Structure formats: structure tokens, C-alpha cells
Amino acid sequence: MIADLELTRALPELFLAVASMGLLMLGVFHKKGTADTTLWPSVGVLTLALLLLWFQPEPAGLAFNGLFVIDGFATFMKSLVLIGAIGAMFLSLRYVAEQGMDRFEFPVLLVLSSLGMLMMISAGNLMSLYVGLELQSLALYVVAAFRRDSQRSTEAGLKYFILGALSSAMLLYGCSLVYGFAGATDFVVLANVFEAAAASGEAPSLGLIIGVVFVMAGLAFKISAVPFHMWTPDVYEGAPTAVTAFFATAPKVAAMALFVRVLIGPFGDLIDQWQQIVIFISIASMTLGAFAAIQQTNIKRLMAYSSIGHMGYALVGLAAGSEQGVQGIMIYMAIYLVMNLGTFAVILSMRHQGRMLEGIDDLRGLSKTNPMVALAMAIFMFSMAGIPPLAGFFGKLYVFMAAINAELYTLAVIGVLASVVGAFYYLRIIKLMYFDEPVESLDEPPGRPLGLVLLATAVAIVFFFVVPGPLVETAGSAAASLFAG
């Protein structure tokens, strides 16, 4: 019998599950059945879920026989996911009506996907991990192909589905190997087994290590880490831009949270086995993200390679395997979320006579035609490049400091060098906006929702260095909760 306390710990997820069914009924029985029917209610539902998360009466602890865990780490990362989902909803307000996506299912799918992300972050067992991951992924496959009349969108959805199914298969195979060699799927039990083995000097079996590698491969796909990044540029480019904005924010945070929870939690005592793999995919992601983005002419593809690089920087903190490293990841992901919401607000405002533009060259001379939008974009680009005193600089600083304290000097140096290379394509966009003549002037104004997102994110990026304390301290206490057990 499930105790009331356990239900309370999962209150945001239960609320989202019930509310999403209610939203579905609202869309089905409403006469119009357009996106407006469910979009604002969905924003309200996600906002209420965020408030429930923050004001849970008894937040910490396990629930449902250890399948579900809530702690400071989960609360922090879930907050980022919900803020990212709400921001993406704001960005899509005008887009869905103008781009042939005016159907009520779209917001409902984003809510269901957010529910899956929250379950991923709170997974306390390999089985609940998989259920949460698939709930998130199935909704994302559909929204990637939401524009059925668009060949690019359909191809993006199909490619994402096929490669996503492959990654799920690898994850499941890894889980089965871990269960076969360790005899458990519960994270707490697995951690105890590995801790006892390490204390007795017993080396992990080869089968177990292979299982962990397959689990990591499945999770690396979800964060677009090299060499499992191949889906990202095509899906980012082919999916509707509002969907791409969602892909670039909330799911990345959720997948990174899951990656951290799995490796630091149950597999924390196997750090000697997984640390080298994390270092490799971190270096590969930073390097490929920096060099491959230089050749891009489509801004959505550029953002795809940018996200690959950013995941590499975040993994630097995970490679450290320390509390400071996890804190660095949490700060990095929070700043990454804000930077991407702002950047995609600019991308969604790139219209000429109502037609969406995606070319990087379309930004030429933007400072002369839309100076405020150009200023906001320059702030986001400088921040992504890691130029002080903007927030992006501090995100990289925290993860690199964690790597240095863990004596991973080579990794930190490569990260700094990759940042220097990556700065080239961010600064190129600023050069196009401020030093080139305009080709096609963008429509103006970008609209109130986009304008609000632009203003809020730009202010947060510029003034982060003034009051970094709340984010840094909250991330610190949340990271400590992951190491408390």
C-alpha cells in the first residue's frame, strides 16, 4: 500500500499526469481544437507543477519502493526543466499558429514530455529510469515530425525515432548486463554492492563494465555527446524551430541530470572504470562542436553543434567525479538553459515578410534594422563564447575549476582551447550583425512573448556576475544532497 507521504513526494509528477489528461480532454471536446485551446492552460499547468515542486511539504526521500527519489539535486534540475519548458511554450505562442502547427496536441505533448523528464531525474531504479526516458522520448519523436506537410520535419522525426530506438536498445542491453552481473536494478542496492566490492578489493567483472558502457552510450545519445551526436544537426534543422528551441533546453537538462545521477549514484564506486570514458566523450564533444560549427551556414545546425560543444563542457564537471564538479554542471546547465532560450527567441524572430529565415547570413546588418534584437543576440553570443563578465564565462569557470582540483589538467586545457576555437563562430555572427550591410531587413517587432523572453534572458546573462550567490549556493547544497547517501 502506498503511503500518503510517498504520493506527496511525487506530487508534481502526479499533478502533471492528471493535468495532461485533462488538457487532452479539453482539446478533444473544444469546438476549435487549436493550439490556443491548450497552450495557455499548459503554461499554467507547468507553472503550478513548478510551485508544487518548490513547496512540497516533505520533499526529500524515497518513494514507491525506491523507484522514485526526491532530493535537492532532483528539485534543482526539475526546476530548470520546468522553466525551460515554460520558456519554450512562450517561444511557440506565435509560431504554431503561423506555421501550420495550430493543433491542440502540440502543447499537450510538451507537457507529457516534461512529465517524462521529471521522472527521469527522480529515477531510483534502472526500470523507472527507462520508463521516464521513453515517456519523454516518445513525445519528442512526435513533435519533431509535427509538421506533417513538411518533408524536412517528417525526416527529422523519422531519423530521431530510429536513432532514438537504437540508443534505447543499447541502454536496455546495458541495464540487463548490469542486472545480470550485479543482481539488482535499484540504485541504492547497486551502490551498496559496488561499495562492498571496492572495500574488499574485488575488481568489477568484465561483463559489468560492458554493461555500464552500454548504459553510458544510451545516455550519451540523449545529451548529443560525441560519438552519439549524429542525429542532432539534422533533427535540429528539420524540426519546426519552436520544437528545436524545446529540444535545446529542457530535454538536455533532464538527460544531463540523469547522466549525473546514474554515474555518481549507483556507479559512483566504479569511477575508475567510467572516468576515462567521460573524459573521452567530453574532449570529443568539445572539439567536434568547436570545429564543425565553423562550416555551418544554417543557424539551427550551428546551434546543434554549439549544443554538442556545451555538453562537452558540462561533462568536464562530471569527469571530475566530485561534489564541486556536480555543482559546476548544475550552474553550467542553468546558464546554458537561459542562453539558449534567448538565442532561440532571436532565431524565431528572424522573419522577412512573414517568411521564416534560417541562414546565418540573414543576420547581416541586423544592428541597423533591429538594434535591440542585435544587442540581445550579441550578448548571447559573447556569453556562449565564454567572454567575461557574462554568465557563460562563469559556467565554464566552475567546471574547469572542478577539473583542475581533480588534477585533470589536460582536460581543462583542452576545454579552454576548444573555447577559443568555438569563439570564432560566435564572434562571426556578431561581425555579420554589426559590420556588414543588411540583405533583407527582418520584420519587426518580434512580438510581446518573444520580446519578454529576450529581455529577461539578456538581463539574466548580463547581471549574473552581480548576484551569482543564489544560484551558486543553491547548486552547492543540491550537489551535496547527491553525495549525502
Side-chain angles (χ1 to χ4, degrees):
M1 188 173 181
I2 299 173
D4 291 342
L5 187 60
E6 295 187 344
L7 292 176
T8 306
R9 284 176 180 147
L11 200 55
E13 286 80 4
L14 292 172
F15 171 72
L16 277 183
V18 173
S20 59
M21 295 300 106
L23 289 169
L24 204 56
M25 292 298 104
L26 177 66
V28 169
F29 291 107
H30 198 276
K31 288 182 180 177
K32 291 183 178 177
T34 60
D36 280 344
T37 308
T38 53
L39 218 158
W40 279 112
S42 296
V43 172
V45 163
L46 291 170
T47 306
L48 276 174
L50 185 61
L51 294 175
L52 286 173
L53 180 68
W54 286 346
F55 298 104
Q56 279 177 301
E58 187 66 37
L62 298 173
F64 313 122
N65 295 318
L67 288 168
F68 189 90
V69 57
I70 184 77
D71 51 18
F73 176 77
T75 303
F76 185 95
M77 299 305 269
K78 285 180 183 179
S79 300
L80 293 186
V81 165
L82 290 172
I83 291 169
I86 293 169
M89 288 267 194
F90 266 100
L91 296 181
S92 64
L93 283 172
R94 181 177 165 186
Y95 183 89
V96 292
E98 294 180 350
Q99 300 297 320
M101 297 168 55
D102 197 11
R103 296 191 292 278
F104 73 88
E105 294 93 341
F106 180 73
V108 180
L109 285 166
L110 296 193
V111 172
L112 284 170
S113 177
S114 303
L115 170 61
M117 293 176 213
L118 300 195
M119 292 178 64
M120 283 165 57
I121 294 171
S122 274
N125 190 297
L126 291 174
M127 289 185 289
S128 54
L129 176 158
Y130 182 72
V131 170
L133 196 65
E134 286 305 295
L135 178 56
Q136 175 218 229
S137 301
L138 289 173
L140 292 182
Y141 299 149
V142 179
V143 293
F146 205 74
R147 288 187 63 186
R148 288 173 297 180
D149 56 343
S150 165
Q151 185 179 351
R152 286 201 315 167
S153 178
T154 308
E155 286 180 0
L158 186 62
K159 180 172 286 189
Y160 191 31
F161 171 69
I162 292 173
L163 294 176
L166 177 65
S167 75
S168 294
M170 288 193 292
L171 180 72
L172 274 180
Y173 184 59
C175 292
S176 64
L177 284 175
V178 170
Y179 175 66
F181 285 92
T185 57
D186 188 277
F187 285 178
V188 175
V189 177
L190 283 171
N192 292 336
V193 168
F194 298 140
E195 185 180 2
S200 64
E202 182 183 344
S205 65
L206 180 61
L208 177 64
I209 294 173
I210 294 174
V212 173
V213 171
F214 270 99
V215 170
M216 292 177 67
L219 296 177
F221 176 90
K222 300 299 180 186
I223 61 168
S224 310
V226 176
F228 305 101
H229 65 285
M230 67 293 288
W231 62 275
T232 314
D234 294 338
V235 173
Y236 268 47
E237 183 184 10
T241 307
V243 175
T244 308
F246 185 68
F247 280 170
T249 52
K252 284 284 194 299
V253 174
M256 183 59 75
L258 184 60
F259 211 149
V260 172
R261 183 177 289 285
V262 169
L263 291 190
I264 298 295
F267 302 137
D269 286 297
L270 301 179
I271 186 170
D272 291 339
Q273 279 69 42
W274 58 253
Q275 188 180 43
Q276 297 304 315
I277 301 172
V278 173
I279 290 173
F280 168 74
I281 61 177
S282 173
I283 291 174
S285 300
M286 289 187 294
T287 308
L288 184 133
F291 284 97
I294 293 173
Q295 307 297 327
Q296 303 306 315
T297 57
N298 182 293
I299 195 158
K300 288 164 71 178
R301 288 187 73 86
L302 182 142
M303 290 304 296
Y305 284 107
S306 169
S307 77
I308 293 169
H310 281 295
M311 291 304 105
Y313 296 123
L315 287 172
V316 171
L318 181 58
S322 62
E323 188 176 315
Q324 187 188 13
V326 174
Q327 181 191 15
I329 294 172
M330 298 169 82
I331 295 169
Y332 196 94
M333 295 309 295
I335 294 170
Y336 168 83
L337 183 80
V338 175
M339 291 189 301
N340 269 269
L341 282 175
T343 305
F344 274 96
V346 174
I347 294 173
L348 282 163
S349 69
M350 289 173 60
R351 302 162 185 266
H352 177 68
Q353 298 180 348
R355 176 171 53 88
M356 292 296 300
L357 302 175
E358 296 181 2
I360 294 173
D361 286 343
D362 294 323
L363 290 167
R364 288 180 189 275
L366 187 64
S367 64
K368 299 178 179 65
T369 56
N370 298 66
M372 297 310 294
V373 175
L375 176 63
M377 188 64 162
I379 290 170
F380 302 134
M381 294 298 103
F382 275 128
S383 181
M384 285 194 178
I387 307 294
L390 299 177
F393 166 76
F394 293 96
K396 289 179 179 173
L397 178 67
Y398 280 104
V399 292
F400 290 155
M401 286 301 295
I404 290 169
N405 289 335
E407 300 182 353
L408 300 174
Y409 304 116
T410 306
L411 179 61
V413 170
I414 293 174
V416 172
L417 293 176
S419 295
V420 174
V421 176
F424 172 81
Y425 58 84
Y426 294 126
L427 297 179
R428 176 170 167 258
I429 291 177
I430 296 170
K431 178 256 180 189
L432 288 174
M433 292 191 300
Y434 281 90
F435 297 101
D436 286 20
E437 292 301 317
V439 179
E440 290 180 322
S441 60
L442 301 185
D443 297 344
E444 58 179 342
R448 185 173 295 176
L450 289 182
L452 285 174
V453 174
L454 273 177
L455 178 64
T457 50
V459 168
I461 294 297
V462 171
F463 293 102
F464 172 76
F465 77 97
V466 179
V467 280
L471 177 63
V472 174
E473 291 168 10
T474 308
S477 59
S481 71
L482 200 60
F483 289 82

